[in-house]
Amino acid sequence: MEPDDQIMEGPGEHRVAEAAERIVAEGRPRLHRTWASLVATALLGGIDVSVGVMTLLFVKHETGSDLLAGLAFSVGLIALLLGHSELFTEGFLVPVSTVIAGAATWLDLLRLWVTVLVMNLVGGWAFMWIVMRAFPELHATAAESGARFVDGGYTLGTFCLTVLGGGVITLMTRMHHGTESMTGKIVASVSAAFVLAGLGLWHSVLDSMIAFAGLHAGDTAYGYADWLVWLAWAVLGNVVGGVLLTTAPRLVRSAPVLREDAPATGAADT
């Protein structure tokens, strides 16, 4: 796919076109993976994020600082990046752009979202059980931290926290595709972790791991039914933030490239 130089001209526009090309090139095989590959990649994503949650809880326990704990959580996002696993909220910019470009269907996108979310949660639930058995001193911190989200209420304010959570993670994905420098990608991951966890934004998978830690620790004011209701609220807001707040404006900017790519990818499927 070659960007139309007459359309994509001006400062930075060629870099936007190149990033859009990389996004579609990555998204097509990602949306057409076998079930086994998809399940394994998503399961590992849940485990990788849980490593970050483990470090978050340790730093929170030792320092009491949400900002330092958020910085510690960057371990999880760096693991996702370097381990090539997959997080549910990373499935907005790249897969949606791929569908818009005609390289996959909306059904493929739904399959990706549901499978990745479920397997992220399964992997995280199992890993946090191990963490809570290995480090009983974290039980009180885990229960308190989990209650901040699950018992946080369903208001306009908490919905905005979920929207911001989805938007920040999708922005991280966009920054990853805006550079070929691994150093730049790691900086983007650390920055996103600090904003997401340090500022207490609501994220369906990350905060579910914290809630699971509290449930495994026991003696929480919430149960699995409470968590499921919270999860639905968080997923809705994350999708709104990831798709409407961050992905949609970038689709508009990359529209000339995506339109050029659609006939080519469609022809390649025949």
Side-chain angles (χ1 to χ4, degrees), residues 31 33 38 86 95 108-116:
L31 280 162
R33 280 175 294 184
L38 180 58
E86 185 150 10
D108 293 327
L109 179 63
L110 181 62
R111 167 181 175 262
L112 174 74
W113 280 358
V114 172
T115 305
V116 172

Side-chain angles (χ1 to χ4, degrees), residues 30 42 45-50 52-53 56 70 73 76-77 80 86-92 113 116-121 124 145-146 148-150 152-154 157-173 189 192-212 227-243 246:
R30 192 167 152 189
I47 293 172
D48 289 345
V49 169
S50 295
V53 172
L56 180 154
F73 173 68
L77 296 188
L80 278 170
E86 185 150 10
L87 182 65
F88 166 64
T89 46
E90 288 185 304
F92 298 146
W113 280 358
V116 172
L117 176 60
V118 170
M119 297 313 300
N120 279 172
L121 296 173
S145 299
R148 287 178 57 188
F149 299 104
V150 179
Y154 305 102
T158 59
F159 187 72
C160 288
L161 287 173
T162 68
V163 170
L164 290 171
V168 166
I169 285 291
T170 307
L171 175 60
M172 180 193 74
T173 304
S189 295
F194 178 75
V195 173
L196 182 68
L199 274 61
L201 304 184
W202 283 22
H203 186 275
S204 51
V205 176
L206 157 62
D207 300 331
S208 286
M209 306 315 171
I210 297 175
F212 289 158
W227 164 74
L228 276 173
V229 175
W230 175 88
L231 178 66
W233 184 250
V235 167
L236 175 62
N238 286 171
V239 171
V240 170
V243 175
T246 309

Side-chain angles (χ1 to χ4, degrees), residues 18-171:
E18 290 168 359
E21 291 174 352
R22 287 196 294 269
I23 285 171
V24 175
E26 175 192 324
R28 187 176 183 183
R30 192 167 152 189
L31 280 162
H32 294 290
R33 280 175 294 184
T34 64
W35 279 105
S37 175
L38 180 58
V39 167
T41 304
L43 185 69
L44 289 171
I47 293 172
D48 289 345
V49 169
S50 295
V51 173
V53 172
M54 178 176 64
T55 60
L56 180 154
L57 290 174
F58 258 105
V59 172
K60 174 69 174 174
H61 173 72
E62 294 294 332
T63 68
S65 170
D66 289 327
L67 294 178
L68 289 176
L71 191 60
F73 173 68
S74 62
V75 171
L77 296 188
I78 293 172
L80 278 170
L81 172 67
L82 300 183
H84 302 287
S85 52
E86 185 150 10
L87 182 65
F88 166 64
T89 46
E90 288 185 304
F92 298 146
L93 178 65
V94 173
V96 171
S97 299
T98 304
V99 171
I100 296 299
T105 68
W106 291 106
L107 186 60
D108 293 327
L109 179 63
L110 181 62
R111 167 181 175 262
L112 174 74
W113 280 358
V114 172
T115 305
V116 172
L117 176 60
V118 170
M119 297 313 300
N120 279 172
L121 296 173
V122 169
W125 184 92
F127 190 89
M128 295 315 298
W129 183 88
I130 297 172
V131 171
M132 289 298 100
R133 301 286 76 76
F135 302 106
E137 66 270 25
L138 297 180
H139 285 191
T141 301
E144 178 186 351
S145 299
R148 287 178 57 188
F149 299 104
V150 179
D151 294 335
Y154 305 102
T155 66
L156 177 60
T158 59
F159 187 72
C160 288
L161 287 173
T162 68
V163 170
L164 290 171
V168 166
I169 285 291
T170 307
L171 175 60

